[in-house]
Amino acid sequence: MHAAERFPRPAARDAVLAGLLAVAVVGGTVLAAGAQPADDRFEVVVAAAVVAAAAWSWRQVAPIASMVVVAATVSGYVALGAPYGPIQLIVALSCFELARRCRAAVATSWCVLAAVALSAALATRLGGTHVVATVAVLLAWPAVFVVIPALVGALVRTRARAVARQRAELLARGADEERLRVAREVHDIAGHGFAVVAMQAGVALTVFDEQPEQARRCLQAIRDSGEAALRDLHATLGALRTDPPGAGDIDVLVERVRAAGLPVVLRITGAPDDLDETTSAVVHRVVQEALTNVLRHAGHTTATVEITYGAERAEIAVRDHGAGNRTRGDDPGDGSPTVQGGGLGLTGLQARIEDIGGTLATGNRAEGGFEVVARLPRGGNP
């Protein structure tokens, strides 16, 4: 283990800030010394300012040691009768950092010791003539420079931990929702495929002896259904990859669907170059889900994918000429697509699109077939 690992050093930025703090303390003390009867020994002021500021620069790597050295230095400075000045602010900054970075019990213990030390040092310079005033000053001084900064630091620490917990809960909730979404889609795909396989297998067993040709056709249907289910599962699980496919991978997706036996016409206007990663992934997801539905439901047909990248939005339209009525809803009668109920895949897709401020419309076409139309704002902003 290297020495730097055993004894971490403050960052260069903290060292620079400590130097500026020392200069400010020395300058402020010199200005304040003219109005005080105390001995204004310049060497004491400079030495105490440099030591306290240097100790403060360690507040991130060693907050307890930093605060202890600062409190001891300032207490000694006061006990020596040096002029009052802004050096007490270094104690406040150290107590704030200690309470912000350490547990409440630890911070409280060390802050109490610092308050006692400062009060004891100040008591050596106060006369006992006015007892009430003396007690008030001895209580107010550590309260201002120790207690209040420590309370603020503890509040900041509590707030930061609450925000971190809230963020973790949101991430966990998002992960749960994503797992639920994937589970629903897998269930939808596998359930459909296995239902077809089970039905065809039952028919094949029934007619195996009397109608072997019919049994052969059932086995072929089982094979085709199994291959289609595997393709759909592969497409769905692909969304879980660390580097999800985007708009630039549409041509690869379409080629894969064509290889599966579905003729697809692809038309792209514009370029997706400046799309953010989230919007690009949603573009790919729209085409993937729409073509998957065509494979699953439309029968023998063709499909058309039209993507237009405009200045303000991207529009994706996937249309086929196959069996319609895959979703049921009230047709507005004007030929416009309507958002209708459907499989869990389209439901999850609509939620994904709405998250980035887009819209999704699905519906049966007047001339036959089905269409999916998504409109996404460029950059993922409404």
Side-chain angles (χ1 to χ4, degrees), residues 200-330:
Q200 297 291 347
V203 174
L205 288 174
T206 302
V207 303
F208 184 80
D209 293 327
E210 292 80 8
Q211 303 179 41
E213 184 60 29
Q214 177 65 28
R216 182 174 179 275
R217 287 196 294 270
C218 290
L219 293 175
Q220 290 176 337
I222 290 173
R223 180 198 62 190
D224 295 341
S225 298
E227 291 177 350
L230 287 175
R231 286 195 301 269
D232 292 351
L233 284 173
H234 182 270
T236 300
L237 296 177
L240 297 178
R241 292 187 299 174
T242 303
D243 184 17
D249 302 312
I250 294 296
D251 54 345
V252 178
L253 171 64
V254 169
E255 285 299 325
R256 189 165 65 243
V257 174
R258 286 170 179 164
L262 174 65
V264 180
V265 177
L266 175 62
R267 301 190 186 99
I268 300 178
T269 303
D273 298 337
D274 60 343
L275 288 180
D276 66 272
E277 182 178 345
T278 301
T279 305
S280 180
V282 172
V283 171
H284 186 279
R285 182 60 173 152
V286 170
V287 178
Q288 180 187 57
E289 181 62 35
L291 291 179
T292 299
N293 279 343
V294 176
L295 285 171
R296 293 170 57 192
H297 301 297
H300 297 289
T301 184
T302 60
T304 301
V305 177
E306 296 180 350
I307 304 176
T308 302
Y309 298 106
E312 297 182 354
R313 68 179 64 225
E315 181 170 318
I316 307 97
V318 181
R319 300 180 175 92
D320 66 74
H321 301 84
N325 292 326
R326 272 167 278 155
T327 59
R328 294 289 184 179
D330 295 329

Side-chain angles (χ1 to χ4, degrees), residues 9-317:
R9 298 177 180 177
R13 183 186 64 179
D14 290 335
V16 173
L17 290 176
L20 296 175
L21 180 60
V23 172
V25 167
V26 171
T29 304
V30 170
L31 293 176
Q36 301 180 47
D39 182 9
D40 56 350
R41 290 171 293 177
F42 185 73
E43 66 279 4
V44 176
V45 174
V46 173
V50 170
V51 172
W56 174 80
S57 69
W58 288 74
R59 67 194 184 282
Q60 297 192 48
V61 295
I64 296 177
S66 172
M67 196 277 290
V68 169
V69 174
V70 169
T73 301
V74 175
S75 297
Y77 175 91
V78 174
L80 289 175
Y84 297 111
I87 193 171
Q88 291 92 336
L89 294 178
I90 304 182
V91 178
L93 294 175
S94 298
C95 291
F96 168 81
E97 289 292 340
L98 178 66
R100 188 169 76 92
R101 298 180 181 278
C102 297
R103 293 182 294 107
V106 174
T108 300
S109 300
W110 289 106
C111 286
V112 167
L113 292 177
V116 171
L118 288 174
S119 295
L122 183 61
T124 62
R125 299 180 59 169
L126 298 177
T129 305
H130 303 286
V131 178
V132 176
T134 299
V135 172
V137 172
L138 291 178
L139 292 177
W141 214 57
V144 172
F145 295 110
V146 176
V147 176
I148 293 178
L151 290 176
V152 175
L155 180 62
V156 171
R157 173 182 170 83
T158 301
R159 173 61 179 168
R161 296 183 67 181
V163 171
R165 279 197 305 270
Q166 184 179 25
R167 185 182 297 113
E169 291 173 357
L170 289 175
L171 290 175
R173 188 180 303 121
D176 290 340
E177 291 175 353
E178 182 66 9
R179 283 194 293 268
L180 179 60
R181 183 194 66 79
V182 173
R184 286 174 175 172
E185 293 192 27
V186 171
H187 176 272
D188 196 26
I189 294 170
H192 171 77
F194 290 150
V196 173
V197 168
M199 179 187 69
Q200 297 291 347
V203 174
L205 288 174
T206 302
V207 303
F208 184 80
D209 293 327
E210 292 80 8
Q211 303 179 41
E213 184 60 29
Q214 177 65 28
R216 182 174 179 275
R217 287 196 294 270
C218 290
L219 293 175
Q220 290 176 337
I222 290 173
R223 180 198 62 190
D224 295 341
S225 298
E227 291 177 350
L230 287 175
R231 286 195 301 269
D232 292 351
L233 284 173
H234 182 270
T236 300
L237 296 177
L240 297 178
R241 292 187 299 174
T242 303
D243 184 17
D249 302 312
I250 294 296
D251 54 345
V252 178
L253 171 64
V254 169
E255 285 299 325
R256 189 165 65 243
V257 174
R258 286 170 179 164
L262 174 65
V264 180
V265 177
L266 175 62
R267 301 190 186 99
I268 300 178
T269 303
D273 298 337
D274 60 343
L275 288 180
D276 66 272
E277 182 178 345
T278 301
T279 305
S280 180
V282 172
V283 171
H284 186 279
R285 182 60 173 152
V286 170
V287 178
Q288 180 187 57
E289 181 62 35
L291 291 179
T292 299
N293 279 343
V294 176
L295 285 171
R296 293 170 57 192
H297 301 297
H300 297 289
T301 184
T302 60
T304 301
V305 177
E306 296 180 350
I307 304 176
T308 302
Y309 298 106
E312 297 182 354
R313 68 179 64 225
E315 181 170 318
I316 307 97

